[in-house]
Amino acid sequence: MSDHTNSSQTASAESTVETPLVWDHLSDVRTRLHQADGLLFGTDFDGTLSPIEENPDSPEPTETNLRSLRALRDHPQVSPAVISGRGLADLRERVGIEGVDYVGNHGLELGIDGQRETHPDAEAAEPVIEDICQTLGDRLAGIDGTVVENKGVTATIHYRMVDREEVKTVQNHVKEVVSELGKDEVEIHDGKESLELRPAADWDKGTAISQLLAHTEVWLPLYIGDDTTDEAAFEEIRPDGITVHVGDNHKTAADYRVRTPAEAEVFIRWVVTDGLALVESTDDTR
Ligand SMILES: [Mg+2]
């Protein structure tokens, strides 16, 4: 397991150089796919498979991305996985494709080969998260647009729809309630227009992707995502894996980026139409 603290320091030191667009490096991606015996295709959900929506309840994967995921699943030397901050059950329902591995709650809930596994510390923190969500629901009731989403072992406080001048108030309430009720078991992490409440457990998207890799042969990992929590996955698999950040955040550990979810869709489609043929063309020694 890599040391995430060290690797994130390395990443921020390197981030003065702008992360190049993957389109300018497709030959490198092609070479690595050609050398690979198989592909672990990992992807984030919100902002990657689905466009970011105002309302956290509405996002669905685009039709093209669903088609791509099915094609990846049907390839014998590819194992696709969707890794998200959403709860495992919610994620599985939204994507709805059998034979894909799902990881929920930023790596705390794993659904690999149909088996569910939850971090024990995360399971223990569930009643504490419940308590915090109820109290926050009351305290934030007067602030329009706040959404308190209890995801079982974690929670997300969304403020995308909140007036800009009220965002600070929302954040202060969250800090207050977590310090009152969190019992040092709950941490606050910055999300996209949201705060994530997570148990102090050491599984993240990076450990998730290494657990997924342990289920494959020695396959090449590829990971694409737009969140700060996706950085742990990038750090885990680079420089050997193919890492693609979605967005204009130049402080990413990923080697490449695409600008928008629409470009992510085009890249994922490219992996299916061009990339899979390269994985297929590898000599089969069996
Ligand atoms: Mg995302």
PDB file of all heavy atoms in Angstrom, residues 169-196:
ATOM      1  N   THR A 169     -22.116  29.985   6.350  1.00  0.00           N
ATOM      2  CA  THR A 169     -22.972  29.624   7.483  1.00  0.00           C
ATOM      3  C   THR A 169     -23.223  28.121   7.512  1.00  0.00           C
ATOM      4  O   THR A 169     -23.145  27.481   8.564  1.00  0.00           O
ATOM      5  CB  THR A 169     -24.331  30.370   7.397  1.00  0.00           C
ATOM      6  OG1 THR A 169     -24.070  31.725   7.057  1.00  0.00           O
ATOM      7  CG2 THR A 169     -25.084  30.292   8.701  1.00  0.00           C
ATOM      8  N   VAL A 170     -23.509  27.548   6.335  1.00  0.00           N
ATOM      9  CA  VAL A 170     -23.719  26.098   6.253  1.00  0.00           C
ATOM     10  C   VAL A 170     -22.465  25.374   6.741  1.00  0.00           C
ATOM     11  O   VAL A 170     -22.531  24.471   7.592  1.00  0.00           O
ATOM     12  CB  VAL A 170     -24.057  25.660   4.799  1.00  0.00           C
ATOM     13  CG1 VAL A 170     -24.102  24.139   4.679  1.00  0.00           C
ATOM     14  CG2 VAL A 170     -25.368  26.275   4.329  1.00  0.00           C
ATOM     15  N   GLN A 171     -21.317  25.810   6.238  1.00  0.00           N
ATOM     16  CA  GLN A 171     -20.058  25.141   6.611  1.00  0.00           C
ATOM     17  C   GLN A 171     -19.802  25.240   8.116  1.00  0.00           C
ATOM     18  O   GLN A 171     -19.370  24.270   8.744  1.00  0.00           O
ATOM     19  CB  GLN A 171     -18.893  25.770   5.830  1.00  0.00           C
ATOM     20  CG  GLN A 171     -18.965  25.457   4.340  1.00  0.00           C
ATOM     21  CD  GLN A 171     -17.976  26.261   3.511  1.00  0.00           C
ATOM     22  OE1 GLN A 171     -17.563  27.355   3.928  1.00  0.00           O
ATOM     23  NE2 GLN A 171     -17.607  25.747   2.350  1.00  0.00           N
ATOM     24  N   ASN A 172     -20.105  26.417   8.700  1.00  0.00           N
ATOM     25  CA  ASN A 172     -19.898  26.582  10.144  1.00  0.00           C
ATOM     26  C   ASN A 172     -20.808  25.679  10.966  1.00  0.00           C
ATOM     27  O   ASN A 172     -20.373  25.091  11.959  1.00  0.00           O
ATOM     28  CB  ASN A 172     -20.098  28.044  10.548  1.00  0.00           C
ATOM     29  CG  ASN A 172     -18.955  28.913  10.060  1.00  0.00           C
ATOM     30  OD1 ASN A 172     -17.864  28.408   9.772  1.00  0.00           O
ATOM     31  ND2 ASN A 172     -19.194  30.210   9.929  1.00  0.00           N
ATOM     32  N   HIS A 173     -22.066  25.560  10.538  1.00  0.00           N
ATOM     33  CA  HIS A 173     -22.992  24.645  11.235  1.00  0.00           C
ATOM     34  C   HIS A 173     -22.462  23.207  11.190  1.00  0.00           C
ATOM     35  O   HIS A 173     -22.510  22.486  12.191  1.00  0.00           O
ATOM     36  CB  HIS A 173     -24.384  24.696  10.588  1.00  0.00           C
ATOM     37  CG  HIS A 173     -25.235  25.824  11.093  1.00  0.00           C
ATOM     38  ND1 HIS A 173     -25.592  25.948  12.419  1.00  0.00           N
ATOM     39  CD2 HIS A 173     -25.811  26.867  10.450  1.00  0.00           C
ATOM     40  CE1 HIS A 173     -26.348  27.036  12.565  1.00  0.00           C
ATOM     41  NE2 HIS A 173     -26.490  27.611  11.387  1.00  0.00           N
ATOM     42  N   VAL A 174     -21.966  22.813  10.051  1.00  0.00           N
ATOM     43  CA  VAL A 174     -21.465  21.436   9.907  1.00  0.00           C
ATOM     44  C   VAL A 174     -20.297  21.210  10.863  1.00  0.00           C
ATOM     45  O   VAL A 174     -20.260  20.220  11.605  1.00  0.00           O
ATOM     46  CB  VAL A 174     -21.053  21.138   8.440  1.00  0.00           C
ATOM     47  CG1 VAL A 174     -20.363  19.773   8.337  1.00  0.00           C
ATOM     48  CG2 VAL A 174     -22.269  21.191   7.513  1.00  0.00           C
ATOM     49  N   LYS A 175     -19.354  22.160  10.883  1.00  0.00           N
ATOM     50  CA  LYS A 175     -18.191  22.020  11.770  1.00  0.00           C
ATOM     51  C   LYS A 175     -18.624  21.921  13.231  1.00  0.00           C
ATOM     52  O   LYS A 175     -18.106  21.099  13.994  1.00  0.00           O
ATOM     53  CB  LYS A 175     -17.245  23.213  11.597  1.00  0.00           C
ATOM     54  CG  LYS A 175     -16.364  23.074  10.363  1.00  0.00           C
ATOM     55  CD  LYS A 175     -15.479  24.296  10.172  1.00  0.00           C
ATOM     56  CE  LYS A 175     -15.065  24.391   8.702  1.00  0.00           C
ATOM     57  NZ  LYS A 175     -14.725  25.765   8.306  1.00  0.00           N
ATOM     58  N   GLU A 176     -19.589  22.794  13.607  1.00  0.00           N
ATOM     59  CA  GLU A 176     -20.088  22.825  14.982  1.00  0.00           C
ATOM     60  C   GLU A 176     -20.703  21.491  15.392  1.00  0.00           C
ATOM     61  O   GLU A 176     -20.353  20.915  16.424  1.00  0.00           O
ATOM     62  CB  GLU A 176     -21.192  23.878  15.071  1.00  0.00           C
ATOM     63  CG  GLU A 176     -20.929  25.014  16.035  1.00  0.00           C
ATOM     64  CD  GLU A 176     -22.006  26.078  15.834  1.00  0.00           C
ATOM     65  OE1 GLU A 176     -23.210  25.775  16.100  1.00  0.00           O
ATOM     66  OE2 GLU A 176     -21.644  27.162  15.363  1.00  0.00           O
ATOM     67  N   VAL A 177     -21.621  20.995  14.561  1.00  0.00           N
ATOM     68  CA  VAL A 177     -22.348  19.767  14.907  1.00  0.00           C
ATOM     69  C   VAL A 177     -21.398  18.564  14.934  1.00  0.00           C
ATOM     70  O   VAL A 177     -21.494  17.708  15.810  1.00  0.00           O
ATOM     71  CB  VAL A 177     -23.534  19.538  13.936  1.00  0.00           C
ATOM     72  CG1 VAL A 177     -24.183  18.188  14.187  1.00  0.00           C
ATOM     73  CG2 VAL A 177     -24.554  20.657  14.083  1.00  0.00           C
ATOM     74  N   VAL A 178     -20.461  18.528  13.996  1.00  0.00           N
ATOM     75  CA  VAL A 178     -19.520  17.402  13.985  1.00  0.00           C
ATOM     76  C   VAL A 178     -18.638  17.439  15.229  1.00  0.00           C
ATOM     77  O   VAL A 178     -18.355  16.402  15.833  1.00  0.00           O
ATOM     78  CB  VAL A 178     -18.675  17.381  12.688  1.00  0.00           C
ATOM     79  CG1 VAL A 178     -17.514  16.393  12.791  1.00  0.00           C
ATOM     80  CG2 VAL A 178     -19.557  17.023  11.498  1.00  0.00           C
ATOM     81  N   SER A 179     -18.227  18.636  15.677  1.00  0.00           N
ATOM     82  CA  SER A 179     -17.391  18.656  16.886  1.00  0.00           C
ATOM     83  C   SER A 179     -18.225  18.330  18.135  1.00  0.00           C
ATOM     84  O   SER A 179     -17.710  17.745  19.077  1.00  0.00           O
ATOM     85  CB  SER A 179     -16.619  19.974  17.012  1.00  0.00           C
ATOM     86  OG  SER A 179     -17.481  21.014  17.372  1.00  0.00           O
ATOM     87  N   GLU A 180     -19.534  18.673  18.109  1.00  0.00           N
ATOM     88  CA  GLU A 180     -20.396  18.312  19.249  1.00  0.00           C
ATOM     89  C   GLU A 180     -20.688  16.821  19.330  1.00  0.00           C
ATOM     90  O   GLU A 180     -20.658  16.217  20.399  1.00  0.00           O
ATOM     91  CB  GLU A 180     -21.765  19.027  19.139  1.00  0.00           C
ATOM     92  CG  GLU A 180     -21.763  20.482  19.546  1.00  0.00           C
ATOM     93  CD  GLU A 180     -23.052  21.186  19.091  1.00  0.00           C
ATOM     94  OE1 GLU A 180     -24.109  20.503  19.004  1.00  0.00           O
ATOM     95  OE2 GLU A 180     -22.989  22.396  18.805  1.00  0.00           O
ATOM     96  N   LEU A 181     -21.006  16.217  18.184  1.00  0.00           N
ATOM     97  CA  LEU A 181     -21.538  14.845  18.188  1.00  0.00           C
ATOM     98  C   LEU A 181     -20.619  13.788  17.578  1.00  0.00           C
ATOM     99  O   LEU A 181     -20.880  12.599  17.676  1.00  0.00           O
ATOM    100  CB  LEU A 181     -22.885  14.808  17.427  1.00  0.00           C
ATOM    101  CG  LEU A 181     -23.983  15.760  17.889  1.00  0.00           C
ATOM    102  CD1 LEU A 181     -25.161  15.718  16.931  1.00  0.00           C
ATOM    103  CD2 LEU A 181     -24.444  15.396  19.303  1.00  0.00           C
ATOM    104  N   GLY A 182     -19.552  14.242  16.929  1.00  0.00           N
ATOM    105  CA  GLY A 182     -18.728  13.323  16.131  1.00  0.00           C
ATOM    106  C   GLY A 182     -17.857  12.367  16.924  1.00  0.00           C
ATOM    107  O   GLY A 182     -17.358  11.388  16.374  1.00  0.00           O
ATOM    108  N   LYS A 183     -17.666  12.635  18.216  1.00  0.00           N
ATOM    109  CA  LYS A 183     -16.879  11.748  19.099  1.00  0.00           C
ATOM    110  C   LYS A 183     -15.512  11.408  18.512  1.00  0.00           C
ATOM    111  O   LYS A 183     -15.021  10.270  18.660  1.00  0.00           O
ATOM    112  CB  LYS A 183     -17.624  10.426  19.354  1.00  0.00           C
ATOM    113  CG  LYS A 183     -18.980  10.589  19.999  1.00  0.00           C
ATOM    114  CD  LYS A 183     -19.638   9.234  20.129  1.00  0.00           C
ATOM    115  CE  LYS A 183     -21.048   9.346  20.687  1.00  0.00           C
ATOM    116  NZ  LYS A 183     -21.810   8.112  20.484  1.00  0.00           N
ATOM    117  N   ASP A 184     -14.908  12.335  17.809  1.00  0.00           N
ATOM    118  CA  ASP A 184     -13.612  12.102  17.151  1.00  0.00           C
ATOM    119  C   ASP A 184     -13.636  10.942  16.159  1.00  0.00           C
ATOM    120  O   ASP A 184     -12.596  10.473  15.721  1.00  0.00           O
ATOM    121  CB  ASP A 184     -12.488  11.865  18.180  1.00  0.00           C
ATOM    122  CG  ASP A 184     -12.272  13.093  19.055  1.00  0.00           C
ATOM    123  OD1 ASP A 184     -12.454  14.217  18.557  1.00  0.00           O
ATOM    124  OD2 ASP A 184     -11.945  12.907  20.243  1.00  0.00           O
ATOM    125  N   GLU A 185     -14.847  10.462  15.839  1.00  0.00           N
ATOM    126  CA  GLU A 185     -14.929   9.336  14.901  1.00  0.00           C
ATOM    127  C   GLU A 185     -15.232   9.812  13.487  1.00  0.00           C
ATOM    128  O   GLU A 185     -15.151   9.045  12.534  1.00  0.00           O
ATOM    129  CB  GLU A 185     -16.053   8.373  15.321  1.00  0.00           C
ATOM    130  CG  GLU A 185     -15.724   7.532  16.540  1.00  0.00           C
ATOM    131  CD  GLU A 185     -16.930   6.743  17.022  1.00  0.00           C
ATOM    132  OE1 GLU A 185     -17.787   6.401  16.187  1.00  0.00           O
ATOM    133  OE2 GLU A 185     -17.001   6.477  18.232  1.00  0.00           O
ATOM    134  N   VAL A 186     -15.658  11.096  13.384  1.00  0.00           N
ATOM    135  CA  VAL A 186     -16.113  11.579  12.080  1.00  0.00           C
ATOM    136  C   VAL A 186     -15.231  12.728  11.596  1.00  0.00           C
ATOM    137  O   VAL A 186     -14.930  13.653  12.346  1.00  0.00           O
ATOM    138  CB  VAL A 186     -17.593  12.046  12.162  1.00  0.00           C
ATOM    139  CG1 VAL A 186     -18.054  12.645  10.842  1.00  0.00           C
ATOM    140  CG2 VAL A 186     -18.487  10.876  12.559  1.00  0.00           C
ATOM    141  N   GLU A 187     -14.812  12.633  10.353  1.00  0.00           N
ATOM    142  CA  GLU A 187     -13.979  13.679   9.739  1.00  0.00           C
ATOM    143  C   GLU A 187     -14.772  14.439   8.678  1.00  0.00           C
ATOM    144  O   GLU A 187     -15.649  13.865   8.040  1.00  0.00           O
ATOM    145  CB  GLU A 187     -12.767  13.036   9.036  1.00  0.00           C
ATOM    146  CG  GLU A 187     -11.828  12.304   9.964  1.00  0.00           C
ATOM    147  CD  GLU A 187     -10.746  11.540   9.209  1.00  0.00           C
ATOM    148  OE1 GLU A 187     -10.874  11.373   7.968  1.00  0.00           O
ATOM    149  OE2 GLU A 187      -9.784  11.119   9.867  1.00  0.00           O
ATOM    150  N   ILE A 188     -14.412  15.715   8.496  1.00  0.00           N
ATOM    151  CA  ILE A 188     -15.044  16.521   7.441  1.00  0.00           C
ATOM    152  C   ILE A 188     -14.063  16.646   6.277  1.00  0.00           C
ATOM    153  O   ILE A 188     -12.903  16.990   6.470  1.00  0.00           O
ATOM    154  CB  ILE A 188     -15.391  17.941   7.954  1.00  0.00           C
ATOM    155  CG1 ILE A 188     -16.274  17.851   9.196  1.00  0.00           C
ATOM    156  CG2 ILE A 188     -16.059  18.757   6.862  1.00  0.00           C
ATOM    157  CD1 ILE A 188     -16.551  19.196   9.863  1.00  0.00           C
ATOM    158  N   HIS A 189     -14.539  16.297   5.070  1.00  0.00           N
ATOM    159  CA  HIS A 189     -13.709  16.456   3.874  1.00  0.00           C
ATOM    160  C   HIS A 189     -14.420  17.367   2.890  1.00  0.00           C
ATOM    161  O   HIS A 189     -15.639  17.355   2.788  1.00  0.00           O
ATOM    162  CB  HIS A 189     -13.469  15.090   3.197  1.00  0.00           C
ATOM    163  CG  HIS A 189     -12.667  14.147   4.028  1.00  0.00           C
ATOM    164  ND1 HIS A 189     -11.323  13.927   3.809  1.00  0.00           N
ATOM    165  CD2 HIS A 189     -13.010  13.363   5.085  1.00  0.00           C
ATOM    166  CE1 HIS A 189     -10.876  13.049   4.700  1.00  0.00           C
ATOM    167  NE2 HIS A 189     -11.879  12.688   5.487  1.00  0.00           N
ATOM    168  N   ASP A 190     -13.626  18.168   2.154  1.00  0.00           N
ATOM    169  CA  ASP A 190     -14.210  19.021   1.120  1.00  0.00           C
ATOM    170  C   ASP A 190     -14.617  18.183  -0.075  1.00  0.00           C
ATOM    171  O   ASP A 190     -13.836  17.369  -0.557  1.00  0.00           O
ATOM    172  CB  ASP A 190     -13.187  20.063   0.644  1.00  0.00           C
ATOM    173  CG  ASP A 190     -13.104  21.221   1.620  1.00  0.00           C
ATOM    174  OD1 ASP A 190     -14.165  21.595   2.163  1.00  0.00           O
ATOM    175  OD2 ASP A 190     -11.996  21.730   1.842  1.00  0.00           O
ATOM    176  N   GLY A 191     -15.858  18.386  -0.542  1.00  0.00           N
ATOM    177  CA  GLY A 191     -16.284  17.755  -1.784  1.00  0.00           C
ATOM    178  C   GLY A 191     -16.557  18.836  -2.802  1.00  0.00           C
ATOM    179  O   GLY A 191     -16.178  19.992  -2.602  1.00  0.00           O
ATOM    180  N   LYS A 192     -17.221  18.457  -3.878  1.00  0.00           N
ATOM    181  CA  LYS A 192     -17.589  19.448  -4.898  1.00  0.00           C
ATOM    182  C   LYS A 192     -18.868  20.135  -4.463  1.00  0.00           C
ATOM    183  O   LYS A 192     -19.919  19.514  -4.456  1.00  0.00           O
ATOM    184  CB  LYS A 192     -17.809  18.743  -6.231  1.00  0.00           C
ATOM    185  CG  LYS A 192     -16.544  18.606  -7.021  1.00  0.00           C
ATOM    186  CD  LYS A 192     -16.821  18.644  -8.501  1.00  0.00           C
ATOM    187  CE  LYS A 192     -15.559  19.020  -9.240  1.00  0.00           C
ATOM    188  NZ  LYS A 192     -15.679  18.816 -10.677  1.00  0.00           N
ATOM    189  N   GLU A 193     -18.790  21.417  -4.067  1.00  0.00           N
ATOM    190  CA  GLU A 193     -19.971  22.139  -3.599  1.00  0.00           C
ATOM    191  C   GLU A 193     -20.657  21.352  -2.487  1.00  0.00           C
ATOM    192  O   GLU A 193     -21.887  21.286  -2.422  1.00  0.00           O
ATOM    193  CB  GLU A 193     -20.968  22.370  -4.746  1.00  0.00           C
ATOM    194  CG  GLU A 193     -20.417  23.198  -5.883  1.00  0.00           C
ATOM    195  CD  GLU A 193     -20.427  24.682  -5.564  1.00  0.00           C
ATOM    196  OE1 GLU A 193     -21.474  25.193  -5.154  1.00  0.00           O
ATOM    197  OE2 GLU A 193     -19.378  25.320  -5.700  1.00  0.00           O
ATOM    198  N   SER A 194     -19.852  20.711  -1.670  1.00  0.00           N
ATOM    199  CA  SER A 194     -20.410  19.879  -0.600  1.00  0.00           C
ATOM    200  C   SER A 194     -19.345  19.628   0.459  1.00  0.00           C
ATOM    201  O   SER A 194     -18.158  19.836   0.220  1.00  0.00           O
ATOM    202  CB  SER A 194     -20.875  18.535  -1.173  1.00  0.00           C
ATOM    203  OG  SER A 194     -19.771  17.820  -1.684  1.00  0.00           O
ATOM    204  N   LEU A 195     -19.809  19.217   1.636  1.00  0.00           N
ATOM    205  CA  LEU A 195     -18.899  18.709   2.653  1.00  0.00           C
ATOM    206  C   LEU A 195     -19.233  17.246   2.862  1.00  0.00           C
ATOM    207  O   LEU A 195     -20.404  16.870   2.926  1.00  0.00           O
ATOM    208  CB  LEU A 195     -19.054  19.493   3.964  1.00  0.00           C
ATOM    209  CG  LEU A 195     -18.567  20.954   3.938  1.00  0.00           C
ATOM    210  CD1 LEU A 195     -18.893  21.638   5.264  1.00  0.00           C
ATOM    211  CD2 LEU A 195     -17.071  21.035   3.658  1.00  0.00           C
ATOM    212  N   GLU A 196     -18.208  16.430   2.943  1.00  0.00           N
ATOM    213  CA  GLU A 196     -18.390  14.994   3.145  1.00  0.00           C
ATOM    214  C   GLU A 196     -18.063  14.671   4.592  1.00  0.00           C
ATOM    215  O   GLU A 196     -17.017  15.076   5.086  1.00  0.00           O
ATOM    216  CB  GLU A 196     -17.420  14.194   2.260  1.00  0.00           C
ATOM    217  CG  GLU A 196     -17.455  14.529   0.788  1.00  0.00           C
ATOM    218  CD  GLU A 196     -18.584  13.811   0.072  1.00  0.00           C
ATOM    219  OE1 GLU A 196     -19.124  12.849   0.652  1.00  0.00           O
ATOM    220  OE2 GLU A 196     -18.923  14.229  -1.044  1.00  0.00           O
TER     221      GLU A 196
END
